[in-house]
Amino acid sequence: MSKRHLFESPDGLVNKALRGIIRYNPSLSLDEANRVVFDSSYDRSKVALISGGGSGHEPAWSGYVGENMLTAAVQGDIFASPSTKQIVAGIEAVPSDKGTILVIGNYTGDCLHFGLANEKGNARGHLCKTIICGDDVSVGRKGSLVGRRGLAGQIGVLKVMGGAAAADASLDEVYNLGVAFSQQIVSIAATLDHCHVPGRTEHGMLNDDEVELGTGPHNEPGYKKLSPVPSPQDLVKQVLTHCLDEKDPERAYVKFNPGDETMLLVSNFGGMSNLEMGALVDELLDQLEQDWKIDPARVCAGFLETSLNAPAFSVSLINVTAASKNCSYSVDQIMSFFDVRTSTCWESVAGAQSKRRSRKEQLVQAPKPEHRKADEARDLKIDPSLLENMLRTACNELVKAEPDLTKWDTVMGDGDCGETLKTGATALLAELDKGIAKSGSVVSVLLELEEILESKMGGTLGGILGIFFVAVRAAVEKKIEVAKKDGAEALWGEALGSALDNLRGYTPAKVGDRTVMDTLIPFSEVMRKSGFDSGVDAAVKGAEATKTMTPRLGRATYVGGGSNGESKEMPPDPGAWGAMVVIAGLHKAFSGKN
């Protein structure tokens, strides 16, 4: 858990954040004294919806104020309920001819203050009602007098109620929908660690070998700790079991029947990467389909209701069919309320899901690549055992060098160079195991190498090598007569020179720029003139020279090593070094050296 913050003190932070948050929508206004964000363009002939709670859960709740969702939101201090006075100010800011509904999570402070504000609002002539949302299944039926806590399932409640209110529904219709919908939600959270609140010392930190299940959104301890850390698959299995196991008398709050229409909400608590969130959603959908026969009609994932910077997430499942049986709206109508566009942060997670398409249809199979064969008339043949030995030696040397290449690239770049080259090397080794070199066909090997570079090796280095080897193969085929006249070494000199000329059309890199070209250029040029042995010596010298070069291209330029004109020694350029390792490995086997 990171304890570092841009704003180290919480003093004034909430108000400053609200001033910034409202700027994305010109219709939003802020009563800063009461921390009320409201839609100044709202229609008072429609039911007004107000929510709120402690800050630190952004975009909840101020981020959901706008057309077709909340009319106003009231924010408290970090993880603390707003006061009754603030909430009454929110009710007064958006008076409604039809009435006002306060929608909150089931937390004691929120229930007390919003409840009192509800009473005061009614006393002042506003027709107010309150819905308390509790969806956390980690809070079992026994031992809890207050009921389930509110998690991100509440955001789904706000969305369908906002859609109904915008459709001119009555106060009772919107209220009954909200109650029915909120009672058909099961949620639970899992965390890798607790969040850190600006200005406070850390508390409740988890050990590296622990994951917590059932964590609350305010750093409340979880239902239980899991140690050792389960695999992602096992963690998801436990999450879904807690939500869906009808045999669990403590947590079987909602029944899901075959064919019921459902929704899935996955909330990032603030510290999960989008990459991992995507993988989490995929695993959830896989297990829902395979183990529970549930195919959610709507899937929303992202920052729904956060907990500052917590590396955690919550999962909410909603039975829309069951909700429709307890209100005046059909499943299709509830779905339409959920789908209606808003002018709020909701759109960042909503997508466009009104037109349904199965997961199977979305996951398409790529067309099988056409297997290219070498043209016998334009192929270079060498001793098969020599060809295989050269390639295996080069690949094994490259795999062995990967840790150093990764370490150097982590210092000077993005850390992917070693893994990229290792991926290519292991892929070629796999093809050698299948017999790609058995015929001694150099063009067959180059064609396979092209396929590996295009399909398995990304990044700048993969692109450069891809262009280079396509040009090498094309030149070998085009100039095959050189081998018949002057020998294979002469052909390689011609092919490498031609490939280098071709590559210069795609990159400005030259000798001295600290790139892979510091190896490829001297190797190609010297081999063309003086043969393989001299070319290898030039490649080694070129790679070694990168240790004192100033980076001029690529991510290493941002590190700035030697950028002030000084020539200090650094790690070698990993791309140049990797290319040198391959060339030296080929030469080692070719020369019969140990």
Side-chain angles (χ1 to χ4, degrees):
M1 173 184 63
S2 174
K3 296 185 290 182
R4 299 190 62 188
H5 300 277
L6 180 62
F7 296 90
E8 292 290 350
S9 170
D11 296 340
L13 181 56
V14 173
N15 287 43
K16 191 169 184 62
L18 292 174
R19 289 199 298 269
I21 288 169
I22 64 169
R23 197 66 185 106
Y24 82 97
N25 184 347
S27 294
L28 299 183
S29 297
L30 170 64
D31 170 1
E32 190 172 347
N34 290 298
R35 293 177 181 162
V36 175
V37 173
F38 62 97
D39 183 1
S40 58
S41 63
Y42 86 105
D43 184 350
R44 69 173 294 155
S45 70
K46 307 287 178 66
V47 173
L49 297 178
I50 299 176
S51 189
S55 295
H57 303 298
E58 290 70 25
W61 283 260
S62 54
Y64 296 126
V65 177
E67 185 180 4
N68 298 328
M69 209 161 174
L70 289 180
T71 319
V74 191
Q75 299 291 152
D77 287 328
I78 296 174
F79 295 168
S81 168
S83 68
T84 303
K85 179 184 176 183
Q86 289 177 257
I87 301 161
V88 171
I91 296 172
E92 296 281 4
V94 287
S96 167
D97 296 334
K98 281 189 174 177
T100 299
I101 304 176
L102 309 179
V103 189
I104 58 172
N106 188 21
Y107 295 96
T108 303
D110 293 324
C111 292
L112 291 173
H113 287 288
F114 276 87
L116 181 53
N118 182 90
E119 298 301 320
K120 284 182 171 288
N122 281 322
R124 296 186 182 192
H126 301 282
L127 186 55
C128 296
K129 292 191 172 189
T130 298
I131 295 177
I132 299 172
C133 300
D135 52 316
D136 186 355
V137 300
S138 73
V139 181
R141 288 187 172 91
K142 295 179 182 177
S144 176
L145 298 177
V146 298
R148 296 193 283 161
R149 289 182 299 210
L151 288 177
Q154 179 193 347
I155 310 304
V157 178
L158 301 179
K159 183 64 186 67
V160 296
M161 291 180 70
D168 209 23
S170 69
L171 180 68
D172 286 342
E173 287 172 330
V174 178
Y175 177 82
N176 291 337
L177 170 62
V179 171
F181 198 84
S182 68
Q183 290 176 347
Q184 298 299 327
I185 305 175
V186 284
S187 303
I188 196 168
T191 182
L192 307 180
D193 207 345
H194 289 200
C195 68
H196 185 264
V197 181
R200 300 182 192 173
T201 57
E202 73 273 14
H203 57 279
M205 293 178 64
L206 299 182
N207 296 323
D208 290 341
D209 62 347
E210 292 178 329
V211 167
E212 201 166 69
L213 192 61
T215 309
H218 314 100
N219 267 346
E220 303 99 321
Y223 157 62
K224 64 178 178 180
K225 291 180 180 178
L226 307 175
S227 183
V229 175
S231 68
Q233 293 76 16
D234 186 48
L235 180 59
V236 167
K237 183 175 182 179
Q238 294 194 50
V239 163
L240 293 179
T241 299
H242 277 78
C243 288
L244 298 172
D245 184 6
E246 295 179 6
K247 297 178 181 178
D248 184 349
E250 282 290 290
R251 294 173 178 80
Y253 289 102
V254 177
K255 183 177 177 61
F256 291 81
N257 294 311
D260 283 349
E261 293 283 21
T262 61
M263 295 177 180
L264 172 67
L265 307 182
V266 188
S267 183
N268 187 339
F269 269 35
M272 299 287 292
S273 70
N274 286 330
L275 182 68
E276 286 191 284
M277 284 295 292
L280 171 63
V281 171
D282 179 68
E283 185 62 33
L284 284 163
L285 291 173
D286 278 349
Q287 292 196 29
L288 281 170
E289 180 181 8
Q290 293 170 15
D291 301 339
W292 303 97
K293 303 299 182 281
I294 292 176
D295 179 18
R298 301 291 186 270
V299 178
C300 296
F303 298 111
L304 287 161
E305 180 183 335
T306 63
S307 182
L308 293 173
N309 62 351
F313 63 89
S314 69
V315 175
S316 301
L317 282 154
I318 308 166
N319 190 332
V320 183
T321 300
S324 71
K325 294 176 181 177
N326 295 305
C327 67
S328 60
Y329 294 107
S330 67
V331 169
D332 288 342
Q333 287 174 309
I334 295 175
M335 291 294 187
S336 70
F337 296 152
F338 192 83
D339 292 335
V340 68
R341 292 290 184 181
T342 76
S343 58
T344 75
C345 289
W346 171 260
E347 300 309 312
S348 66
V349 301
Q353 303 185 61
S354 58
K355 292 184 179 179
R356 299 181 66 174
R357 191 164 168 239
S358 70
R359 234 163 97 74
K360 187 176 181 180
E361 289 178 295
Q362 287 188 284
L363 302 175
V364 300
Q365 294 294 321
K368 291 184 179 180
E370 180 184 352
H371 183 68
R372 295 174 293 174
K373 293 184 178 180
D375 182 348
E376 290 285 342
R378 298 189 301 161
D379 195 4
L380 175 65
K381 294 288 188 74
I382 67 173
D383 175 45
S385 61
L386 176 61
L387 177 60
E388 176 147 354
N389 192 27
M390 289 176 69
L391 293 171
R392 283 193 181 278
T393 302
C395 289
N396 287 328
E397 293 289 327
L398 191 53
V399 170
K400 192 187 304 181
E402 180 272 323
D404 283 337
L405 299 177
T406 297
K407 180 175 68 175
W408 297 334
D409 196 37
T410 300
V411 173
M412 298 300 296
D414 55 5
D416 69 338
C417 179
E419 283 294 334
T420 297
L421 290 173
K422 181 182 176 181
T423 295
T426 53
L428 185 54
L429 285 169
E431 293 303 318
L432 289 171
D433 290 341
K434 296 177 184 177
I436 188 66
K438 295 298 184 185
S439 66
S441 168
V442 171
V443 171
S444 292
V445 171
L446 290 173
L447 285 169
E448 189 58 47
L449 189 54
E450 285 178 37
E451 176 63 27
I452 291 170
L453 286 162
E454 291 172 13
S455 63
K456 293 182 171 64
M457 296 176 65
T460 302
L461 184 58
I464 287 175
L465 294 178
I467 294 169
F468 185 73
F469 279 104
V470 167
V472 167
R473 190 259 307 163
V476 166
E477 292 178 316
K478 183 178 180 180
K479 301 183 179 185
I480 193 64
E481 294 300 324
V482 173
K484 297 176 182 177
K485 180 181 177 183
D486 301 319
E489 194 170 56
L491 173 60
W492 281 114
E494 290 287 329
L496 290 169
S498 178
L500 201 58
D501 292 339
N502 187 277
L503 187 56
R504 286 190 176 107
Y506 296 92
T507 175
K510 57 186 182 299
V511 171
D513 287 341
R514 191 183 157 88
T515 69
V516 67
M517 301 297 277
D518 285 294
T519 294
L520 294 181
I521 291 174
F523 171 63
S524 301
E525 290 181 345
V526 173
M527 181 169 177
R528 194 174 192 176
K529 297 175 182 176
S530 307
F532 194 17
D533 291 345
S534 299
V536 173
D537 289 340
V540 173
K541 291 177 183 177
E544 288 280 357
T546 62
K547 294 178 180 178
T548 56
M549 289 179 184
T550 299
R552 294 193 179 95
L553 292 168
R555 290 186 176 91
T557 56
Y558 311 138
V559 178
S563 58
N564 57 0
E566 298 177 4
S567 180
K568 63 179 183 179
E569 185 157 320
M570 298 178 293
D573 177 74
W577 197 267
M580 180 273 289
V581 167
V582 170
I583 292 167
L586 292 170
H587 184 259
K588 177 181 178 181
F590 180 77
S591 304
K593 294 179 180 177
N594 294 318

